[in-house]
Amino acid sequence: MYTYDKNQLQSKLADYIGARVPADAWQWLQEKATLVTKDSKQFHIAFAAASRKLGKQAVVLTAEEQTGLQQIRKQLTVTGWAIDRLCRVWLLLQLNSEDEDNYVQTIERLFPAAEMNELVALYSALPLLAYPQRWRARCAEGIRNNIADVLEAIMCDNPYPSEQLDEAAWNQLVLKAIFTEKPLQKVIGLIERSNETLANSLTDYAHERWAAHRKVLPLLWQCVGRFINAHNFADIQRIALSTDAREREAAALACQQSTYAPAQELLKTNTLLQQLVNRGITWQEIAEKLQRNS
Amino acid sequence: MCCNDDLTERDLEPRVEIPLYLENIKGMKFFDPHVHMTSRTTDDYQAMADAGVVALIEPAFWLGQPRTGVATFQDYYSSLIGWERFRSSQFGIKHYCTIGLNSREANNVALAEQVMEILPLFIYKEGVVGVGEIGFDDQTPAEERFYREQLLLAKEASLPVQIHTPHRDKKKGTQRSMDIAIDCGLAPGMVIVDHNNEETVEEVLDRGFWAAFTIYPFTKMGNERMVEVVKKYGAERIMINSAADWGISDPLAVPKTAALMKQHGISDEMIQLVTYKNAITAFAQSGQLNESDFNTVQPIDQSQKFQGNTILRGGQQPRVNKDSLIIK
């Protein structure tokens, strides 16, 4: 039912939490942890009250601790979380998952009455819950949320969406991440999950913005590169000749991703683009430059 | 930041042209402990932020027409702790709420019973600073029943209570609300009696309750009358709010009244108590309201922008010039 060693993660997180919260708060949390397996009402109260008891200081892990987590659950990141978020996720790990329907229901009941920070914790927990396929609809629903922190919990540093969402829901996630200006480099699986439908939507979106005299996020083209074709090649030519250095860099990388002959030809003939690629430009580098200049 | 690249520091700063009265209260901070932002526009949020409102409390109330199912109550409570809180944060205003079943809708007993069942799910949430607004409207037996049940809920959760006093038969309704609160074992210091006037204030203060005044045109207090009340009774345990909602009301009632008090020679210290500090003291008894959440000034400067654009400013709304004919 779990895709990773749940017990090992549970005890590792317990070590991390125990070392970071006051003794009385840790005791409260442990008491609640033993109760939640028996009584779903206790679970709901503990989940809501976590912030009152544990506070909100940011969790900072050492590099070693962070690697330790990722050895158990790949791509799991908890650094920068508020401590109550981590504790809420840990509480979710205490639930008895043997009865699938009962387990899913207990967690589903939290969503409709959750406040902002509870929603953040719930969506952060998706990659750690049992029966991963059971949370696909919930995750897709979460992408329709409009609260920045909630969206970020789903979209950024969260391995669940790319592992589980179907193509339509995944494409919504990417479009909405761009639309709401989330840091795209933190979307796990962005290039791997890109597809032709998404590439078409993104080029349409770029046309809309150009028509409105608005700028287009250069990072968007990393989802298009593998799907450059006769239909959208003109867009790549356009950004290759852009006065904006970030757009030219994006054009170089998109062409590099592409197997479309004219795109490869463009890279060969445009010395500027070629220099960029030879120098080893990356999407990450473009993202950092954008961040610095924003 | 793809879509906001034309946004400069200047666009995020408060506008320079400000109405005259704001000059008087420049640099003052305000706390509006009763305002229904769900019914207000983004213009109101911007105007409040410009006028110095740093935090507010949105009490749960009715929506102008009765709800017909418990699910709409649940969604309403969820929006107070979710969407509205976020919307407010985009304007730099800290949003708290009180949760309760209002007196009008208490008269639909079958529905009210279902609402009572979901209230415990919400009152323990982060940022819920009390049970409210509850109390009497028509003063019916059903209203009394659910008022009492909610007082007990507040007592169990150690939360302050925000009491709505009735428009009709106000004086008796106010007395009765206080009697019942005492009868249910609440300490007067945990109860904020709202919508006071010259007729009710003395008894409320004498009995040790907090006395809140709503500055609301035509139907409740005007702010000139409020100045007289503060002159007569001082600032202890008195607070003012706008109770702005979907009716003709003024979300700037608190800063405007502060300006008027200043004009009438009331001391800055007293103004601060009535328009900021007393409300904080009263509702901080919930353990859910921390002045440090909103009283630290976040200066807008290059270094801050450089270091943490997405964290500090990511959710902030760009300013639009409302006098411009062009909409971009």
Side-chain angles (χ1 to χ4, degrees):
Chain A
M1 47 190 129
Y2 288 94
T3 57
Y4 63 98
D5 187 340
K6 199 263 292 191
N7 291 333
Q8 207 192 343
L9 185 75
Q10 206 173 339
S11 78
K12 190 146 256 177
L13 287 179
D15 293 344
Y16 296 175
I17 295 168
R20 283 169 173 81
V21 300
D24 54 334
W26 177 228
Q27 199 186 344
W28 175 85
L29 191 65
Q30 284 176 303
E31 276 166 25
K32 291 294 171 191
T34 53
L35 289 174
V36 302
T37 48
K38 299 171 203 116
D39 182 353
S40 70
K41 191 184 161 206
Q42 283 294 330
F43 170 63
H44 288 131
I45 291 175
F47 191 81
S51 69
R52 301 194 172 202
K53 299 286 178 186
L54 299 148
K56 315 202 130 295
Q57 96 261 18
V59 176
V60 181
L61 295 188
T62 63
E64 197 183 335
E65 287 172 323
Q66 182 58 55
T67 329
L69 286 186
Q70 294 193 340
Q71 276 163 359
I72 306 170
R73 188 0 171 153
K74 68 173 170 150
Q75 295 173 314
L76 175 66
T77 310
V78 305
T79 261
W81 288 16
I83 188 79
D84 62 341
R85 176 174 173 187
L86 184 60
C87 292
R88 280 180 172 137
V89 170
W90 185 75
L91 273 174
L92 286 163
L93 296 181
Q94 314 302 316
L95 288 174
N96 186 339
S97 58
E98 266 161 47
D99 179 344
E100 178 173 341
D101 284 336
N102 189 35
Y103 171 79
V104 171
Q105 253 173 39
T106 305
I107 296 173
E108 278 289 349
R109 261 203 297 273
L110 291 171
F111 282 89
E115 56 84 43
M116 216 160 52
N117 294 308
E118 292 174 6
L119 283 176
V120 166
L122 284 167
Y123 284 112
S124 314
L126 291 184
L128 302 179
L129 298 181
Y131 313 107
Q133 70 289 354
R134 294 289 301 267
W135 310 104
R136 288 174 186 161
R138 176 52 69 183
C139 183
E141 178 62 27
I143 299 164
R144 296 184 191 106
N145 194 296
N146 245 356
I147 299 176
D149 289 359
V150 175
L151 283 179
E152 198 154 332
I154 301 169
M155 295 168 172
C156 300
D157 292 323
N158 188 336
Y160 182 86
S162 64
E163 289 170 5
Q164 293 294 332
L165 289 184
D166 63 25
E167 187 177 289
W170 173 259
N171 291 354
Q172 268 315 307
L173 180 144
V174 177
L175 287 167
K176 193 142 181 191
I178 292 170
F179 211 77
T180 59
E181 303 177 13
K182 297 291 170 291
L184 217 49
Q185 288 317 102
K186 291 188 172 182
V187 177
I188 293 177
L190 187 66
I191 292 179
E192 295 80 351
R193 290 275 334 243
S194 58
N195 55 77
E196 195 169 357
T197 313
L198 177 63
N200 290 340
S201 301
L202 288 172
T203 48
D204 279 352
Y205 167 76
H207 292 173
E208 272 179 49
R209 291 196 60 91
W210 283 331
H213 305 287
R214 292 179 176 136
K215 285 190 178 164
V216 172
L217 178 71
L219 293 171
L220 162 163
W221 301 105
Q222 63 191 306
C223 304
V224 178
R226 283 162 55 207
F227 307 94
I228 296 177
N229 54 30
H231 174 68
N232 60 29
F233 183 56
D235 300 332
I236 302 299
Q237 287 175 304
R238 174 181 173 141
I239 58 168
L241 298 173
S242 170
T243 53
D244 181 321
R246 301 296 87 75
E247 290 201 324
R248 293 195 301 271
E249 290 163 358
L253 282 173
C255 288
Q256 196 186 23
Q257 287 173 337
S258 172
T259 52
Y260 183 64
Q264 293 177 331
E265 187 62 27
L266 175 65
L267 196 54
K268 251 184 256 163
T269 51
N270 184 323
T271 49
L272 208 81
L273 298 193
Q274 206 170 45
Q275 275 168 13
L276 286 168
V277 169
N278 290 343
R279 181 168 73 65
I281 178 97
T282 61
W283 292 109
Q284 183 58 33
E285 186 185 327
I286 300 178
E288 282 163 15
K289 285 182 187 163
L290 285 168
Q291 175 71 23
R292 270 202 298 276
N293 295 334
S294 66
Chain B
M1 300 299 287
C2 80
C3 310
N4 282 348
D5 11 43
D6 301 331
L7 198 64
T8 66
E9 279 305 311
R10 215 183 127 68
D11 296 316
L12 288 170
E13 280 166 16
R15 295 176 58 188
V16 253
E17 317 88 10
I18 43 173
L20 242 177
Y21 79 90
L22 285 177
E23 288 291 343
N24 266 342
I25 49 168
K26 223 176 187 169
M28 285 182 149
K29 283 176 303 193
F30 302 107
F31 189 107
D32 190 342
H34 186 149
V35 57
H36 301 287
M37 296 313 296
T38 306
S39 317
R40 310 298 307 193
T41 64
T42 51
D43 283 8
D44 291 335
Y45 268 123
Q46 282 186 339
M48 289 167 82
D50 288 350
V53 176
V54 291
L56 57 84
I57 296 172
E58 176 153 9
F61 78 148
W62 76 308
L63 295 176
Q65 69 174 36
R67 280 164 279 213
T68 57
V70 69
T72 53
F73 273 95
Q74 167 153 315
D75 292 339
Y76 173 64
Y77 297 144
S78 290
S79 76
L80 293 185
I81 55 176
W83 176 243
E84 202 54 45
R85 189 177 283 179
F86 170 67
R87 209 165 75 97
S88 183
S89 73
Q90 291 182 302
F91 300 91
I93 297 177
K94 178 77 185 171
H95 182 284
Y96 303 96
C97 65
T98 58
I99 296 281
L101 169 66
N102 64 86
S103 48
R104 283 168 195 265
E105 286 172 297
N107 289 304
N108 181 345
V109 174
L111 181 55
E113 283 172 348
Q114 295 173 58
V115 174
M116 287 305 301
E117 272 180 47
I118 64 164
L119 281 184
L121 267 179
F122 289 95
I123 62 170
Y124 291 96
K125 300 279 188 198
E126 194 178 327
V128 176
V129 296
V131 172
E133 53 181 308
I134 61 172
F136 286 115
D137 178 48
D138 256 4
Q139 309 192 40
T140 63
E143 287 173 21
E144 178 169 343
R145 173 186 158 190
F146 292 108
Y147 174 51
R148 281 180 181 273
E149 286 184 20
Q150 292 184 92
L151 288 172
L152 295 176
L153 206 60
K155 195 177 152 196
E156 195 187 329
S158 311
L159 284 173
V161 177
Q162 194 171 20
I163 294 182
H164 163 93
T165 54
H167 298 261
R168 301 170 297 279
D169 207 0
K170 186 172 207 72
K171 197 165 179 183
K172 246 196 284 153
T174 305
Q175 286 168 339
R176 195 169 155 204
S177 303
M178 289 189 287
D179 292 342
I180 294 173
I182 299 291
D183 190 43
C184 288
L186 273 94
M190 286 294 273
V191 180
I192 296 92
V193 179
D194 213 338
H195 315 320
N196 276 283
N197 59 26
E198 294 87 343
E199 295 297 304
T200 57
V201 56
E202 197 157 307
E203 186 179 342
V204 171
L205 289 175
D206 284 349
R207 294 176 73 174
F209 291 81
W210 295 87
F213 290 82
T214 295
I215 312 300
Y216 195 110
F218 312 126
T219 58
K220 296 187 176 92
M221 286 289 284
N223 58 2
E224 292 166 304
R225 286 161 57 201
M226 191 65 222
V227 170
E228 295 309 314
V229 168
V230 173
K231 279 187 181 165
K232 185 166 175 190
Y233 295 97
E236 197 189 334
R237 274 180 292 118
I238 287 182
M239 66 183 83
I240 62 169
N241 59 61
S242 70
D245 55 12
W246 25 252
I248 297 174
S249 42
D250 192 342
L252 300 180
V254 174
K256 280 182 181 172
T257 306
L260 196 66
M261 287 195 274
K262 186 139 179 146
Q263 232 175 59
H264 283 76
I266 294 175
S267 72
D268 282 12
E269 193 195 344
M270 272 174 67
I271 296 173
Q272 200 206 19
L273 284 170
V274 172
T275 61
Y276 182 76
K277 193 75 199 171
N278 283 346
I280 294 170
T281 309
F283 286 99
Q285 298 181 91
S286 64
Q288 288 302 294
L289 190 161
N290 195 340
E291 207 179 333
S292 64
D293 291 345
F294 51 82
N295 75 346
T296 37
V297 185
Q298 304 273 2
I300 296 174
D301 66 22
Q302 279 312 117
S303 62
Q304 226 179 4
K305 186 188 177 199
F306 172 69
Q307 283 170 4
N309 197 10
T310 52
I311 297 158
L312 278 172
R313 321 265 307 281
Q316 208 167 340
Q317 296 285 34
R319 289 258 162 185
V320 293
N321 181 356
K322 291 195 199 70
D323 302 327
S324 169
L325 174 69
I326 309 298
I327 302 168
K328 282 201 179 179

